[in-house]
Amino acid sequence: MFSSDRNSHRGVFIQAWEKARTEQPLEPLERQIVEILRQHPEYQPFLEAEESALERDFLPEQGQSNPFLHLGLHLVILEQLSIDQPAGIRKLYRNLARRTGDTHEAEHRIMECLAESLWKLQHDRQPFNERDYLECVRRAGGA
């Protein structure tokens, strides 16, 4: 799943969706991917057009959102919640889900914080700052 090869990485999402559509058995990670995709019907037709999905570039400066990045961030958040790392993220998520009344919305708010933290990590070339990340989630309504 965590290949540095873009097409291999994208292929995991495409294959999981294809297996779900053709009612093939899914591996645990594929089940997670499919569940996320069911919450994002706007990405489903895109993944069904395999070749263009593999080749397409997404340019944020042109207002384009990368569905693979979005789906991948959902997976990261689910993993963080499953192991409560960074420590306290699970409690913040539960608070946020309770406040918004929607677990998917809570994930999206956390995702904004995660994306910001990852951008800072790349831009500043510093280690991931858990404290700033958790504070961002608190400000998003997780406190």
Side-chain angles (χ1 to χ4, degrees):
M1 160 77 198
F2 300 106
S3 168
S4 61
D5 172 42
R6 180 175 93 165
N7 285 357
S8 295
H9 177 77
R10 290 178 174 194
V12 171
F13 294 97
I14 293 167
Q15 181 181 8
W17 185 241
E18 175 62 23
K19 285 173 74 173
R21 289 178 45 234
T22 57
E23 299 181 359
Q24 295 178 46
L26 298 169
E27 299 293 326
L29 177 61
E30 291 171 328
R31 280 194 294 275
Q32 283 185 310
I33 291 169
V34 168
E35 181 59 36
I36 295 165
L37 278 164
R38 287 190 175 125
Q39 297 172 337
H40 288 283
E42 70 275 18
Y43 296 153
Q44 295 168 10
F46 173 75
L47 292 180
E48 292 166 16
E50 288 182 38
E51 193 61 37
S52 64
L54 288 173
E55 300 301 323
R56 182 158 173 205
D57 290 321
F58 301 91
L59 305 171
E61 57 273 6
Q62 293 180 0
Q64 298 175 335
S65 176
N66 184 333
F68 297 107
L69 175 61
H70 186 89
L71 298 168
L73 289 174
H74 269 293
L75 288 174
V76 169
I77 291 166
L78 293 175
E79 177 67 14
Q80 288 180 340
L81 296 173
S82 75
I83 60 173
D84 195 30
Q85 285 298 318
I89 190 68
R90 189 182 297 145
K91 181 180 179 186
L92 292 172
Y93 165 77
R94 287 180 184 146
N95 291 342
L96 190 51
R98 191 171 34 257
R99 284 200 170 121
T100 63
D102 183 349
T103 58
H104 193 234
E105 173 62 23
E107 287 178 32
H108 278 190
R109 289 191 186 186
I110 292 171
M111 188 182 300
E112 289 178 22
C113 294
L114 180 58
E116 178 183 322
S117 294
L118 292 173
W119 182 87
K120 286 180 181 176
L121 176 128
Q122 287 183 322
H123 181 264
D124 299 339
R125 300 184 192 269
Q126 297 293 319
F128 187 82
N129 189 320
E130 290 182 3
R131 188 185 64 227
D132 287 352
Y133 172 54
L134 293 173
E135 183 56 35
C136 179
V137 175
R138 279 186 197 90
R139 286 191 314 269

